[in-house]
Amino acid sequence: LTKKSARNAASSKAFNSLSSGVDMKNITLFLSVVLLLISSMAKSQDYFLNGNAIATGNNCYQLTDIWNNQNGTVWYADLINLVEDFDITFYMNLGNQDANGADGICFVLQNLGNDALGTSGGGLGYQTFTTSLGIEFDTWQNTESGDPSYDHIAIEKNGDINHNTGNNLSGPVQMSAFNANTEGGQNHVVQIKWDASAQLIQVYYDCIFRTQATIDIANEIFNGQSYVYWGFTAATGGATNVQTVCLEPNIFASASQLQACPGTTIQLNAGPSILGDYVWTPSAGLTDPSIANPVANPSITTTYTVDFTNLCGLPQSSSVTVTIEDLVS
């Protein structure tokens, strides 16, 4: 059940209860409830859940439970534009089963839609996506696919999880810089950064760089299509784990370069903070320099710097330059 489905069910329930014995008071109350639901829908971020995936609250989604042959996906409602930079930071939990834990989670870009569901087991819920880019966080050694003995990260394309083929773009590398096992039941911070101009995708695990690949994703994978779906897949097979992702409301950080027309506003976003502490400078022209996503109204090209504590508890400083474009008559 998606968030949207739950809200639609609530709206239907409200209508059924209010439409019996209708009078002006009930009609007024009914309209108030509908307006409240519409307002809630407009402010929410929608994720579409498939297979065994469930929402567990607090922006977290369980992709698989501790059962055999589970398969779950979570897709964001809005498409991502590969012509623009993106910077996504989230929590990932790969479960607490080590020797009998499997199979892992993938971050995926795909064009199949928000109901896409792959294969269980070693396919990581991603294997059948023949037009896609996947970043696997693999916790099980499938030797026939060239997996190393340690939990690992690899960047792949077109649903091919075999590291011995040309579809393997980067890796596999050890997932954690310090530990061969990542199934300790803890949340880990993952950051995916895409530099559109350099055509470079990078992966950070617990705020430490792990691997990268240079590829023209839109043209080499999606045949020139720049808007694609993004989200997460996970699977279990003969071995299992409870595997989850937690996606902060401000999961997207602003690109380092933004454009705006004179006299218009543009929203900035620093990305998630473990403490919720933000200091934007200069503060002039910002609606609130102490929040993650202030609205800026610069009259000239301005570089804004934000200092905050990232999800690893480390101080971080990022800059966003808003270039004011001259109007062409």
Side-chain angles (χ1 to χ4, degrees):
L1 185 65
T2 67
K3 289 184 178 179
K4 180 178 287 185
S5 299
R7 286 196 295 268
N8 290 342
S11 179
S12 176
K13 183 178 180 182
F15 176 80
N16 291 335
S17 64
L18 290 170
S19 60
S20 58
V22 173
D23 57 27
M24 290 304 297
K25 182 178 179 180
N26 280 346
I27 290 175
T28 301
L29 178 59
F30 169 69
L31 290 175
S32 298
V33 170
V34 170
L35 289 173
L36 180 63
L37 288 169
I38 291 174
S39 175
S40 174
M41 290 170 65
K43 294 179 181 178
S44 298
Q45 289 184 320
D46 283 342
Y47 290 89
F48 290 84
L49 280 60
N50 305 282
N52 300 113
I54 60 172
T56 57
N58 297 319
N59 304 305
C60 294
Y61 301 90
Q62 178 181 290
L63 294 161
T64 65
D65 205 342
I66 194 161
W67 297 99
N68 300 115
N69 301 311
Q70 292 251 302
N71 184 11
T73 62
V74 176
W75 305 112
Y76 191 62
D78 295 334
L79 303 183
I80 201 167
N81 185 4
L82 296 172
V83 173
E84 301 175 350
D85 298 350
F86 65 74
D87 185 342
I88 301 175
T89 303
F90 54 92
Y91 286 114
M92 173 184 290
N93 193 315
L94 293 158
N96 58 15
Q97 306 291 319
D98 180 19
N100 295 308
D103 273 84
I105 295 175
C106 283
F107 171 87
V108 179
L109 305 175
Q110 48 90 1
N111 66 353
L112 299 173
N114 52 36
D115 59 351
L117 188 66
T119 57
S120 60
L124 296 167
Y126 155 74
Q127 189 171 16
T128 56
F129 299 166
T130 54
T131 305
S132 62
L133 181 134
I135 300 175
E136 68 166 36
F137 299 84
D138 195 332
T139 59
W140 185 264
Q141 184 180 20
N142 292 292
T143 54
E144 69 277 11
S145 296
D147 285 352
S149 59
Y150 45 78
D151 296 344
H152 56 277
I153 299 172
I155 304 175
E156 305 150 344
K157 65 178 182 178
N158 300 334
D160 188 353
I161 49 83
N162 190 333
H163 305 305
N164 299 314
T165 74
N167 289 324
N168 190 88
L169 304 176
S170 175
V173 299
Q174 186 168 295
M175 197 180 311
S176 168
F178 306 108
N179 197 333
N181 171 45
T182 57
E183 300 153 288
Q186 298 176 328
N187 286 337
H188 295 274
V189 179
V190 175
Q191 184 178 24
I192 311 292
K193 300 178 69 174
W194 166 244
D195 185 328
S197 61
Q199 298 178 350
L200 178 68
I201 191 160
Q202 297 181 309
V203 185
Y204 294 75
Y205 185 86
D206 282 340
C207 298
I208 298 175
F209 171 76
R210 303 308 298 140
T211 192
Q212 66 183 30
T214 301
I215 180 173
D216 184 351
I217 300 176
N219 289 315
E220 292 187 35
I221 296 178
F222 294 105
N223 299 313
Q225 178 183 351
S226 61
Y227 284 91
V228 297
Y229 295 91
W230 71 273
F232 304 88
T233 72
T236 65
T240 66
N241 251 322
V242 177
Q243 301 174 118
T244 62
V245 289
C246 294
L247 314 174
E248 298 295 317
N250 57 323
I251 187 171
F252 280 101
S254 293
S256 59
Q257 300 287 333
L258 300 174
Q259 287 78 41
C261 294
T264 62
T265 60
I266 188 167
Q267 188 162 47
L268 310 179
N269 193 349
S273 163
I274 196 170
L275 301 176
D277 57 335
Y278 298 92
V279 179
W280 289 89
T281 54
S283 60
L286 297 181
T287 51
D288 187 342
S290 65
I291 62 175
N293 53 351
V295 174
N297 184 22
S299 58
I300 61 173
T301 296
T302 304
T303 296
Y304 295 95
T305 299
V306 58
D307 295 295
F308 61 100
T309 304
N310 66 20
L311 294 185
C312 291
L314 302 173
Q316 181 169 326
S317 184
S318 301
S319 295
V320 180
T321 299
V322 179
T323 300
I324 303 301
E325 301 285 357
D326 293 332
L327 294 177
V328 178
S329 58

